[in-house]
Amino acid sequence: AVCSMGNSTSRLYSVLAKTLSSGAVSQHQDCLEQLDSAQPDPIDPKDLLEECQIVLQKRPPRFQRNFVSLKKNTASNHRPIRVMQWNILAQALGEGKDNFVQCPMEALKWEERKCLILEEILAYKPDILCLQEVDHYFDTFEPLLSRLGYQCTFFPKPWSPCLDVERNNGPDGCAMFFLKERFELVSSANIRLTAMKLKTNQVAIAQTLKCHETGRLFCIAVTHLKARTGWERFRSAQGCDLLQNLKNITQGAKIPLIVCGDFNAEPTEEVYREFSNSSLNLNSAYKLLSPDGQSEPPYTTWKIRPSGECRHTLDYIWYSQHALNVNSALGLLTEEQIGPNRLPSFNYPSDHLSLVCDFSFNQDPDRLL
C-alpha cells in the first residue's frame, strides 16, 4: 500500500479511482495513525467535486432536491448548523447480500458509487455528517473528509455482516464527521448497544461539541438499530439503552441533543414511541415537512428485493425541541425521480435517502423544559 495523501495542488484521481483491497486496509490504517499527529493537506471541495464528476460523466446527472424553509418568526444570531443523516449502503452488502433485483451490478461498482456518495455530501456541505453502513472508512471517507476539514470518528459493528462477503473491505459501522472550524470536541463515547442485558451487534457514537460561534454545548449522536421484521422488541430494548446513555451524557437534557440514525423502525413501532415520549423532549425533524407537522414522510427507503417491493420510513433526525429550532429540511426524492426500478440506481448510490436539516439554538431553552 502506498502511504501518500498527496499535496494540496495534486489531482485527487489516485484517491478516487482506486479502492484498497481488504488486505491493504490494515497497512493503510497504520499509515493513517502515523499521520495522525500531522495536519493533513487540505483540499478544495470544488476540486474534489470536479474529480467526482469526471468519474461520473457517463452516468445520469444527480437528482435535484430543494430545501423547505421551516423557520418560524424567531430570530437567530448565529449561522445555522447543517446536519446530514445517511445510510450510504455498505459496499459488501450492496454487491454481496442485499439482492437489489432491479439494480444492475454495474451501478454498484465502488469506483463510481463512492463518487456518487461524495457528490451528495459535497452538494449539501454539512457541518456535521452522520453515516451508517460505512465499510470504506479508512481508505475513502477518513482520508478525504479529514482533508476537507472534518474531524472523523468510526465505530464498527462487532460482528458485521460484511465480513461474511468474499473480498470484503472489513466491517461496516457508524461514522461521524464534524467541521473543526465550527466545533470543538468536548467528549466522545462509543456505545455498544445492549438489549435484555446482552451486548448486541449494533452501535452508536455520541459526541459533545462546543460551537465556536456561540460557545454553546450540544450532543450529536449517530446509530443504526437492528434490522428485519420480528425484531421489534429487540429494537425497543436497544432504543431504551441508547436513550439512557444519552440522558447521562446530556445531564438529563441540560445539553441540547441531536440523534441521527437508521432505526429500522416505522413510526408505528415501540422504539419510535420511546423516542417521542422520552424525558429528553425530542421531536423528529422531518415531521415538520408534513402539513400538520405531525406525520413522518411516506418513505426514506425504497427498494425491490426478491421478496418484493419495500417502501418504508426508517431514518430519522431527532432533536431537543426546547433548545433547538429546525430552520429548514431537505425535501425527499419524488416517486418519479426514484423511477420504477427504485433504489439504488445509476442515479442514486444508496437504498436510503439522505436527510439534511439546518438547526439553530433557541435563545431561551430553559423556558420550554
Side-chain angles (χ1 to χ4, degrees):
V2 177
C3 182
S4 173
M5 297 293 108
N7 59 47
S8 57
T9 59
S10 69
R11 303 303 281 166
L12 298 161
Y13 183 78
S14 60
V15 185
L16 290 171
K18 298 174 186 175
T19 299
L20 295 175
S21 68
S22 57
V25 170
S26 60
Q27 291 172 276
H28 191 67
Q29 192 170 351
D30 292 341
C31 163
L32 288 172
E33 286 167 1
Q34 291 165 23
L35 289 173
D36 193 43
S37 58
Q39 190 74 11
D41 291 322
I43 53 177
D44 188 326
K46 291 179 182 174
D47 290 342
L48 181 55
L49 183 58
E50 185 182 316
E51 287 292 335
C52 289
Q53 288 167 346
I54 290 169
V55 175
L56 296 170
Q57 57 191 334
K58 292 183 180 177
R59 292 211 180 200
R62 63 182 299 277
F63 294 123
Q64 293 304 305
R65 299 164 66 186
N66 297 317
F67 280 89
V68 179
S69 177
L70 301 166
K71 196 167 184 180
K72 300 169 187 172
N73 296 323
T74 52
S76 171
N77 58 2
H78 68 89
R79 203 159 37 115
I81 296 168
R82 177 161 291 181
V83 176
M84 184 173 187
Q85 146 61 30
W86 198 12
N87 178 332
I88 60 171
L89 174 61
Q91 184 64 21
L93 301 184
E95 286 187 307
K97 278 204 164 192
D98 278 340
N99 292 320
F100 301 118
V101 292
Q102 296 295 102
C103 177
M105 286 303 289
E106 186 76 6
L108 296 172
K109 281 172 52 179
W110 178 242
E111 288 73 16
E112 295 180 3
R113 197 173 77 86
K114 67 182 173 187
C115 291
L116 276 179
I117 295 170
L118 290 166
E119 188 183 40
E120 182 90 346
I121 294 166
L122 291 164
Y124 300 122
K125 303 173 187 168
D127 299 305
I128 302 171
L129 173 63
C130 295
L131 302 179
Q132 300 86 37
E133 289 199 25
V134 178
D135 63 347
H136 276 275
Y137 176 81
F138 292 107
D139 63 23
T140 300
F141 294 105
E142 197 280 345
L144 286 173
L145 291 175
S146 64
R147 294 177 65 192
L148 290 170
Y150 289 91
Q151 184 156 327
C152 314
T153 305
F154 176 61
F155 192 24
K157 294 174 185 171
W159 314 300
S160 165
C162 292
L163 299 176
D164 298 334
V165 178
E166 195 176 350
R167 294 189 298 277
N168 66 75
N169 199 61
D172 77 301
C174 290
M176 186 183 292
F177 309 85
F178 68 83
L179 284 177
K180 291 184 284 187
E181 69 173 19
R182 293 213 65 188
F183 311 109
E184 174 191 341
L185 180 63
V186 175
S187 66
S188 185
N190 287 355
I191 303 163
R192 185 172 170 190
L193 298 175
T194 62
M196 298 88 167
K197 299 186 178 178
L198 299 172
K199 288 191 179 296
T200 73
N201 193 34
Q202 279 65 48
V203 300
I205 303 168
Q207 297 190 329
T208 302
L209 304 181
K210 182 178 181 180
C211 176
H212 291 317
E213 190 179 339
T214 64
R216 298 277 293 270
L217 294 180
F218 67 101
C219 177
I220 179 84
V222 57
T223 195
H224 188 186
L225 302 187
K226 173 68 181 167
R228 305 277 183 266
T229 304
W231 291 87
E232 290 81 5
R233 287 186 62 200
F234 198 80
R235 279 191 288 275
S236 174
Q238 288 182 326
C240 285
D241 182 50
L242 179 56
L243 284 168
Q244 187 55 56
N245 275 279
L246 294 174
K247 284 174 190 173
N248 295 335
I249 291 167
T250 62
Q251 302 166 28
K254 286 183 182 175
I255 298 172
L257 173 65
I258 300 170
V259 186
C260 296
D262 174 359
F263 279 61
N264 275 307
E266 290 273 11
T268 52
E269 273 200 34
E270 181 63 31
V271 68
Y272 182 93
R273 290 193 290 276
E274 286 161 0
F275 271 72
S276 294
N277 300 326
S278 163
S279 62
L280 293 173
N281 196 23
L282 299 174
N283 193 18
S284 173
Y286 264 72
K287 279 168 46 176
L288 301 178
L289 287 181
S290 66
D292 61 358
Q294 299 298 315
S295 307
E296 291 290 351
Y299 52 84
T300 63
T301 179
W302 203 340
K303 64 203 106 180
I304 301 174
R305 286 182 165 145
S307 56
E309 194 160 343
C310 308
R311 176 180 178 267
H312 299 293
T313 300
L314 306 178
D315 307 272
Y316 306 96
I317 300 178
W318 298 91
Y319 69 101
S320 300
Q321 56 189 335
H322 63 282
L324 296 165
N325 292 312
V326 185
N327 296 3
S328 61
L330 182 65
L332 300 176
L333 291 176
T334 65
E335 181 176 358
E336 183 181 16
Q337 285 176 309
I338 290 171
N341 294 330
R342 309 314 184 199
L343 304 173
S345 66
F346 281 108
N347 300 72
Y348 200 77
S350 176
D351 54 326
H352 289 252
L353 300 178
S354 62
L355 309 181
V356 186
C357 290
D358 290 336
F359 290 97
S360 59
F361 291 108
N362 276 340
Q363 301 308 301
D364 185 15
D366 295 332
R367 184 175 57 83
L368 299 173
L369 258 179

